[in-house]
Amino acid sequence: MSISITLACERYDRTEALRDGRVTPAGVDLTYLPQQVEETFFRMARFREFDAAEMSLSSYVIGLTRDAPFIALPVFPSRMFRHSGIYLPPGSGISEPAELAGRRVGLAEYQLTANVWIRGLLADEYDVPVESVTYVTGGLHTPGRTEK
């Protein structure tokens, strides 16, 4: 007897075999809903729409303090080199990470896992303490953005 489980997750090379059925979990009738992570995180965090879903680590940890009914599995389908998520405007005069100290840095959301990683790597690898930078949040293309 199989149990039905709906999994919402981005399409990654590591999850494609689940999505297309080449791999079938024993005892599970899996429905794989390929979605962009933003939609999945929002719908799961706000409405708990799926049996299982990819979720940001930072959202999960924040949820622990708010009695969110989630159990984390040590599965990390998204693999990114987060150094590639730091951008500087032309003419900023910044030539190395240490020069971010004392500056304003824009983020879509403070708690986004990618931004947590970036703040950590700036602190650990480049000696830029988190508190030495003024982080401001806002929308990428339009003003405002709701933290998840």
Side-chain angles (χ1 to χ4, degrees):
M1 177 189 252
S2 294
I3 61 168
S4 295
I5 294 180
T6 298
L7 168 65
C9 189
E10 180 73 78
R11 287 183 68 169
Y12 300 106
D13 58 348
R14 2 184 134 57
T15 61
E16 193 62 11
L18 283 172
R19 190 196 65 76
D20 68 17
R22 284 178 285 149
V23 170
T24 56
V28 174
D29 179 20
L30 182 67
T31 300
Y32 188 108
L33 297 175
Q35 298 183 104
Q36 292 188 350
V37 293
E38 289 283 325
E39 180 178 355
T40 300
F41 295 174
F42 181 81
R43 290 170 63 184
M44 190 63 169
R46 292 284 168 106
F47 308 112
R48 295 158 178 62
E49 286 189 40
F50 316 108
D51 299 313
E54 175 181 11
M55 180 176 275
S56 86
L57 181 61
S58 61
S59 293
Y60 171 74
V61 172
I62 289 169
L64 291 176
T65 68
R66 298 178 180 165
D67 297 322
F70 301 122
I71 297 171
L73 300 176
V75 177
F76 303 92
S78 174
R79 304 282 183 185
M80 297 289 293
F81 187 65
R82 294 298 175 192
H83 295 69
S84 67
I86 301 171
Y87 302 90
L88 300 170
S92 69
I94 297 172
S95 61
E96 60 185 60
E99 295 172 357
L100 290 171
R103 303 282 189 121
R104 286 173 36 112
V105 172
L107 310 169
E109 293 178 41
Y110 190 80
Q111 66 87 31
L112 273 168
T113 300
N115 293 332
V116 172
W117 276 107
I118 289 170
R119 287 191 301 275
L121 74 89
L122 286 171
D124 291 346
E125 295 180 23
Y126 299 103
D127 200 29
V128 180
V130 173
E131 63 277 2
S132 73
V133 177
T134 300
Y135 290 100
V136 295
T137 61
L140 182 61
H141 301 291
T142 58
R145 180 169 166 144
T146 303
E147 293 269 353
K148 290 175 197 53

